[in-house]
Amino acid sequence: MTSSHHVTPSIPAPTSVSPSGTLDPQAQAALAAYREAWQDLAIVSDEGNYQDPRLSAHLSGQLLLTTSQDLYLEESHGIASKGAPILHPRVVGENLSARPPTVAIADCIDFRQFVQYYKTTGQPFGTAQKGMSADLTTMSTVTGVWSVTTQKMQADGSCTA
C-alpha cells in the first residue's frame, strides 16, 4: 500500500454514491478502517517487519501478499520508511447489499512526508515524490471486519487535493 506498491485488480462498480455528510454507518466504518490501514502501514514500514499482524488485520487477498512481499524485499535491502502519508479520502460508492459488502474510496495521497531511506546510513532511497497520487481503493468485509481488498494507485503527480 505504499507509493511503491501498485496493485491494479479490477474494482467493482459501485451501486450508489453518498455525499460525505450522509454516509451510512457501514461506509463510515469502512472509511475509518481505510485510515487505520494507512496508519498501521506507516508504522510497520518504519519498524521493518513484513510479517507484522497489523498488515493482515487491514489487507486481504492478493494485496496483502504483494504488500508483504514488497516490504520483505525492502527490509532485505535495508530499506525502511519514516513519516506517514497525508490522506484525503472520500467514499465514492457503496454496495452494502453485496456479499461481501463493498465501499469504494477515492483519495489523493500525499507521500512527500512518507519517505524511504537506508537504515544503516539514513540516506534517502530512490527519488523523493514531488506530488500527490490518486488512489481508488475497495474496502470489503472479510470475516466481519472492513479490509482493503483492492487498490489502484496512480503515478506521482496524478492529483491535487
Side-chain angles (χ1 to χ4, degrees):
M1 261 183 63
T2 66
S3 61
S4 65
H5 303 215
H6 301 285
V7 177
T8 57
S10 62
I11 296 173
T15 59
S16 66
V17 176
S18 298
S20 300
T22 61
L23 287 179
D24 179 274
Q26 288 186 69
Q28 290 177 1
L31 190 57
Y34 171 84
R35 290 179 186 277
E36 290 172 18
W38 276 107
Q39 180 180 22
D40 281 349
L41 180 67
I43 294 167
V44 169
S45 296
D46 182 48
E47 293 174 353
N49 179 6
Y50 74 95
Q51 295 177 323
D52 193 301
R54 286 177 281 200
L55 293 175
S56 60
H58 298 296
L59 309 176
S60 64
Q62 185 63 41
L63 184 60
L64 173 60
L65 178 63
T66 302
T67 301
S68 296
Q69 288 173 335
D70 287 349
L71 287 170
Y72 170 78
L73 289 172
E74 291 167 7
E75 291 168 28
S76 67
H77 290 96
I79 300 166
S81 297
K82 60 183 171 184
I86 299 169
L87 307 175
H88 305 91
R90 68 190 191 306
V91 172
V92 294
E94 306 169 11
N95 190 349
L96 301 176
S97 61
R99 295 293 170 242
T102 60
V103 171
I105 297 174
D107 203 344
C108 183
I109 304 173
D110 185 345
F111 288 106
R112 292 174 288 186
Q113 302 303 312
F114 187 45
V115 296
Q116 293 182 311
Y117 67 97
Y118 289 103
K119 290 192 275 186
T120 56
T121 65
Q123 295 298 312
F125 169 77
T127 305
Q129 191 152 341
K130 294 179 174 70
M132 302 189 327
S133 299
D135 174 54
L136 182 60
T137 294
T138 299
M139 303 291 293
S140 300
T141 54
V142 178
T143 62
V145 176
W146 284 104
S147 184
V148 179
T149 52
T150 63
Q151 180 183 45
K152 186 175 182 182
M153 184 76 60
Q154 301 297 318
D156 181 14
S158 57
C159 66
T160 57

